[in-house]
């Protein structure tokens, strides 16, 4: 991160945020992250709702095969990740959801 980064250098990611808000106002609100470390990246995170991830994936035109599934917290949390370019920015879409454990076997 540069110490002299000006707010105007976040313009690409902030314009992308404005575009997603204008283009998809009915979609579930994600946590939003814009950082001077990656000034051209917009990060959208969704928690406890994988259906919201799917809605965003479709809206952003991300192909199913471009979604990565991972686990964290010793297998207790699913993580879906995908990325695309939108409105000139690199957009990263991430969702976290607890893994459902059913049945009496403890598996």
């Amino acid at each position: 991160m540069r110490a002299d980064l000006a707010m105007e250098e976040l313009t690409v990611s902030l314009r992308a945020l404005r575009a997603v808000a204008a283009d998809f106002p009915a979609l579930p609100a994600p946590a939003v992250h814009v950082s001077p470390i990656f000034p051209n990246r917009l990060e959208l995170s969704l928690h406890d709702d994988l259906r919201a991830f799917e809605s965003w994936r479709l809206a952003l035109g991300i192909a199913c095969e471009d979604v990565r599934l991972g686990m964290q917290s010793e297998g207790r949390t699913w993580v879906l990740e995908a990325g695309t370019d939108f409105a000139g920015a690199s957009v990263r879409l991430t969702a976290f959801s607890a893994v459902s454990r059913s049945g009496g076997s403890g598996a």
Side-chain angles (χ1 to χ4, degrees):
M1 177 173 84
R2 291 186 4 232
D4 64 339
L5 193 73
M7 194 61 189
E8 70 183 343
E9 294 179 71
L10 297 176
T11 301
V12 171
S13 55
L14 293 173
R15 280 189 187 141
L17 176 58
R18 182 178 179 185
V20 297
D23 291 354
F24 314 118
L27 288 181
V32 175
H33 184 77
V34 173
S35 169
I37 297 170
F38 301 104
N40 295 327
R41 181 186 296 169
L42 173 63
E43 297 180 17
L44 306 174
S45 300
L46 301 149
H47 298 268
D48 300 320
D49 188 356
L50 297 180
R51 287 178 292 197
F53 178 91
E54 181 64 4
S55 296
W56 276 102
R57 183 192 69 76
L58 289 168
L60 293 169
I62 300 171
C64 290
E65 57 269 15
D66 293 333
V67 175
R68 292 172 305 285
L69 171 63
M71 301 289 272
Q72 67 181 35
S73 301
E74 298 177 354
R76 294 179 301 203
T77 304
W78 278 328
V79 181
L80 296 176
E81 296 180 291
T84 191
D85 291 330
F86 183 81
S90 171
V91 177
R92 294 185 62 178
L93 181 63
T94 307
F96 304 92
S97 184
V99 174
S100 297
R101 302 278 189 214
S102 61
S105 66

